[in-house]
């Protein structure tokens, strides 16, 4: 069965500092990987996705993620964090089958300090 | 990209009443939709998979008689919370897959349900 682990429940970074949010997945076949961001009281916004090809994926808002099959990881990075990036971040894994839902990690809450 | 809408965005109801939440795919047809529930500061928990023209598939521990799901058309799925209780208060999010898109699910904006 698919599973996603986000080891960090809460991370605090200074504005302008770099960011890396960790995500490890477990899936028997080729995974389809996603990062979503959620602001309080809001729905999910897709940051980026990986299906195949280049393992370094660029997303919106200056985010990128790197798929490492050997480590079963899909970590999210941003070189310089802005205060508006404070939110909850979810990593998710899916499958090719149309009837397979996404499986989400428990999320990492990002706080940004001045 | 594809758009999924939910209605209402928030609703307050009294204990014992029923509430219906609609999930619509606006510019594509979705044979499969998913319903998730999210508790405050928690992750999304899959409740059920909604299949057009057939019965929904519920996850273990989800009461099918309490959370009625109907997927009557290729663009609409509904979740009805029957005989609501305060513990049903939550954020409900639906998603849909475009069968002609690249394995991506499109999420609705969510519905905040508060049962008093």
């Amino acid at each position: 069965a698919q599973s996603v682990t986000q080891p960090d429940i809460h991370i605090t970074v200074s504005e302008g500092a770099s960011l890396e949010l960790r995500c490890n997945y477990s899936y028997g076949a080729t995974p389809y990987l996603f990062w979503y961001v959620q602001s309080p009281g809001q729905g999910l916004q897709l940051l980026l996705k990986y299906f195949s090809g280049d393992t370094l994926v660029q997303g919106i808002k200056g985010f990128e993620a790197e798929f490492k099959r050997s480590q079963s990881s899909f970590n999210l990075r941003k070189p310089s964090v802005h205060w508006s990036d404070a939110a909850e971040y979810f990593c998710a894994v899916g499958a090719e089958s149309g009837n397979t839902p996404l499986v989400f990690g428990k999320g990492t809450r990002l706080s940004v300090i001045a | 990209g594809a758009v999924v809408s939910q209605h209402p965005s928030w609703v307050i109801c009294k204990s014992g009443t029923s509430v219906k939440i609609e999930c619509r795919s606006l510019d594509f047809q979705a044979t499969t939709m998913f319903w998730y529930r999210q508790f405050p500061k928690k992750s999304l928990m899959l409740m059920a998979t909604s299949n057009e023209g057939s019965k929904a598939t519920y996850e273990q521990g989800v009461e099918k008689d309490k959370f009625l799901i109907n997927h009557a058309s290729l663009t609409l799925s509904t979740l009805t919370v029957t005989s609501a209780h305060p513990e049903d208060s939550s954020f409900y999010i639906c998603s849909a897959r475009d069968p002609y898109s690249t394995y991506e699910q499109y999420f609705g904006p969510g519905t905040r349900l508060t049962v008093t």
Side-chain angles (χ1 to χ4, degrees):
Chain A
Q2 303 153 266
S3 68
V4 177
T5 302
Q6 293 181 249
D8 305 305
I9 296 174
H10 183 205
I11 286 181
T12 300
V13 300
S14 299
E15 189 169 15
S18 63
L19 169 71
E20 181 170 34
L21 301 182
R22 296 183 291 166
C23 172
N24 292 96
Y25 68 91
S26 174
Y27 187 58
T30 301
Y32 298 91
L33 296 158
F34 307 82
W35 274 100
Y36 291 88
V37 62
Q38 184 181 37
S39 297
Q42 302 298 310
L44 299 175
Q45 181 179 23
L46 178 66
L47 286 176
L48 47 77
K49 57 193 176 188
Y50 172 78
F51 296 142
S52 64
D54 192 347
T55 56
L56 185 61
V57 181
Q58 301 298 319
I60 62 171
K61 302 185 178 184
F63 286 93
E64 66 177 26
E66 186 171 12
F67 170 59
K68 293 185 177 179
R69 185 185 298 275
S70 61
Q71 299 178 19
S72 297
S73 69
F74 188 57
N75 294 347
L76 182 71
R77 299 195 294 251
K78 186 170 185 177
S80 178
V81 169
H82 188 262
W83 64 267
S84 59
D85 293 324
E88 190 84 21
Y89 291 80
F90 294 99
C91 180
V93 63
E96 183 173 354
S97 167
N99 291 333
T100 304
L102 293 186
V103 173
F104 285 84
K106 293 187 181 300
T108 297
R109 182 162 61 94
L110 173 65
S111 296
V112 181
I113 58 176
Chain B
V3 177
V4 174
S5 71
Q6 279 185 245
H7 178 79
S9 55
W10 60 270
V11 58
I12 301 173
C13 70
K14 294 186 177 181
S15 288
T17 62
S18 295
V19 174
K20 180 184 286 188
I21 302 170
E22 294 184 348
C23 177
R24 293 182 184 273
S25 56
L26 297 185
D27 49 4
F28 66 99
Q29 294 183 329
T31 54
T32 303
M33 291 183 174
F34 305 98
W35 286 96
Y36 294 85
R37 180 175 181 176
Q38 185 179 33
F39 291 100
K41 299 186 179 182
K42 298 291 185 183
S43 186
L44 281 75
M45 180 191 76
L46 179 67
M47 298 177 66
T49 300
S50 172
N51 301 299
E52 188 267 336
S54 65
K55 292 184 179 180
T57 303
Y58 290 82
E59 294 300 300
Q60 191 173 9
V62 177
E63 300 176 60
K64 59 182 66 177
D65 293 332
K66 180 167 192 59
F67 298 100
L68 300 179
I69 291 173
N70 187 310
H71 194 153
S73 78
L74 287 172
T75 59
L76 174 64
S77 175
T78 60
L79 167 67
T80 301
V81 183
T82 63
S83 187
H85 288 104
E87 56 265 31
D88 299 325
S89 299
S90 195
F91 194 52
Y92 293 89
I93 303 175
C94 73
S95 71
R97 288 190 72 158
D98 180 349
Y100 300 103
S101 182
T102 50
Y103 320 116
E104 186 173 341
Q105 285 187 27
Y106 300 96
F107 285 84
T111 296
R112 172 76 57 194
L113 170 62
T114 301
V115 184
T116 61

